[in-house]
Amino acid sequence: MAGQLREYRRRIKTVNSTKKITKAMELIAASRIAKARARVTASRPYADEITRVITAVASQTTIAHPLTTERAQPARAAVVVVTSDRGLAGGYSSNALKRAGELVELLREEGKEPVLYAVGRKAVSYYRFRGRSLAGEYTGFSEQPGYGDAKAVADAVIDAFTTPTEEGGVDEIHLVFTEYVSAMTQTPVAHRLLPMVLREHDEPPPGGPLPNYEFEPSAEAVLDALLPRYVESRLYAALLEAAASESAARQRAMKSATDNAQELVKTYTRAANRARQDAITQEISEIVGGANALASNA
């Protein structure tokens, strides 16, 4: 009985230590959500406006620019998959990888070869374990991405997009990341960055009617200049959304772990109390038994 009681006390101590860690991680994740959401809000106007400008330029010209024109027979498609660098975030990374897998299968059904770019150590290890080749690996910034991190990824995919397919280039660029909806809901989504999916003529553009631009030196030169800025801004916005989603998922996972630890402590405490009571009862029985034996021998 004494050995069993010591074991329960050891387990209670271990679970309490784990609970302190998960509680601390929950609080850290909660503090990062607000900062990440503020960065998402701050970056959104620029990303939206550059998309609006490109849409206006494309709708007012008849040039066939790679930014907005579908290629005749697309053969290869870049897929940028955004996951986390660390675990302990529930199904955050696995859900994003599942969505990426669905996109890859769709591209293959369309006769396109997926070219993978992994952002986050979880994506890198996932594809390495399965023997999948990666065109690019980017790690170390999933929780707090900077514009320079987005630019590094954008430079790589733009270079592939502007390279002929027969020389290893790609015809499309797709992005898979987790969109922050609320503290309780984060949704993995897939968007095509290039060629841009322009709005239909009968759809009202966000922000009101599109302005009329005069192009200097030319509309094509304007689109050439906007191409890297557009991809960078969209990637940066996606990384910020993913960072907020990761923190929210980690907070939820750590809160669940903390609650489970608390329940486990209660269970072990009740078991320890029963073991102590059993030990006391046994000792009393032994004392009474010894006293009765002495009385009968007297």
Side-chain angles (χ1 to χ4, degrees):
M1 292 294 181
Q4 190 178 35
L5 183 58
R6 282 195 300 271
E7 176 63 19
Y8 283 133
R9 287 173 175 169
R10 184 188 66 79
R11 291 183 182 182
I12 290 171
K13 184 178 179 181
T14 301
V15 173
N16 275 326
S17 297
T18 302
K19 187 177 72 172
K20 290 179 182 178
I21 296 172
T22 57
K23 185 63 177 178
M25 293 182 69
E26 176 191 346
L27 296 175
I28 292 171
S31 68
R32 286 179 174 171
I33 293 175
K35 295 177 183 177
R37 288 301 300 154
R39 296 180 74 192
V40 170
T41 302
S43 70
R44 190 167 288 156
Y46 177 80
D48 290 345
E49 192 59 29
I50 196 171
T51 303
R52 178 176 163 82
V53 169
I54 291 174
T55 302
V57 174
S59 63
Q60 295 169 27
T61 62
T62 57
I63 62 171
H65 193 274
L67 183 69
T68 57
T69 305
E70 299 274 354
R71 299 187 180 177
Q73 293 181 327
R76 305 180 83 229
V79 179
V80 181
V81 186
V82 181
T83 62
S84 65
D85 285 317
R86 299 191 297 128
L88 302 177
Y92 168 77
S93 291
S94 60
N95 290 337
L97 290 167
K98 180 181 178 182
R99 183 68 186 89
E102 294 170 352
L103 174 61
V104 165
E105 289 302 315
L106 177 62
L107 292 172
R108 284 176 175 159
E109 289 175 4
E110 295 174 351
K112 302 168 188 174
E113 177 191 350
V115 180
L116 295 167
Y117 292 79
V119 179
R121 291 190 178 92
K122 290 297 179 180
V124 172
S125 60
Y126 176 86
Y127 290 118
R128 279 183 179 174
F129 180 76
R130 285 157 180 77
R132 300 288 299 277
S133 61
L134 295 173
E137 302 176 9
Y138 308 90
T139 60
F141 55 81
S142 72
E143 290 182 274
Q144 296 179 316
Y147 194 86
D149 302 315
K151 187 177 187 308
V153 182
D155 288 345
V157 294
I158 290 172
D159 182 63
F161 187 72
T162 54
T163 300
T165 307
E166 57 272 14
E167 297 178 15
V170 298
D171 300 308
E172 297 176 355
I173 300 175
H174 297 262
L175 175 62
V176 179
F177 67 100
T178 305
E179 194 174 62
Y180 182 94
V181 179
S182 68
M184 296 300 296
T185 306
Q186 299 84 46
T187 307
V189 295
H191 295 313
R192 192 180 77 179
L193 292 181
L194 294 178
M196 280 186 62
V197 180
L198 297 177
R199 302 179 66 87
E200 298 294 336
H201 294 296
D202 57 349
E203 290 185 80
L210 295 173
N212 291 318
Y213 289 101
E214 293 183 4
F215 309 115
E216 186 68 34
S218 67
E220 187 172 7
V222 170
L223 289 175
D224 285 339
L226 290 177
L227 170 64
R229 304 289 87 79
Y230 166 75
V231 178
E232 289 167 12
S233 66
R234 282 299 171 187
L235 274 169
Y236 183 50
L239 290 178
L240 293 178
E241 288 272 359
S245 298
E246 179 183 347
S247 293
R250 181 165 290 113
Q251 181 198 21
R252 208 164 55 249
M254 291 301 97
K255 184 180 186 310
S256 177
T258 302
D259 293 343
N260 290 340
Q262 184 63 41
E263 288 300 316
L264 203 55
V265 167
K266 291 180 181 178
T267 300
Y268 284 146
T269 300
R270 286 193 293 266
N273 289 339
R274 283 196 300 269
R276 186 169 60 251
Q277 291 297 327
D278 291 343
I280 293 172
T281 300
Q282 184 177 355
E283 289 178 6
I284 292 174
S285 298
E286 290 174 354
I287 292 171
V288 171
N292 290 337
L294 290 174
S296 63
N297 291 332

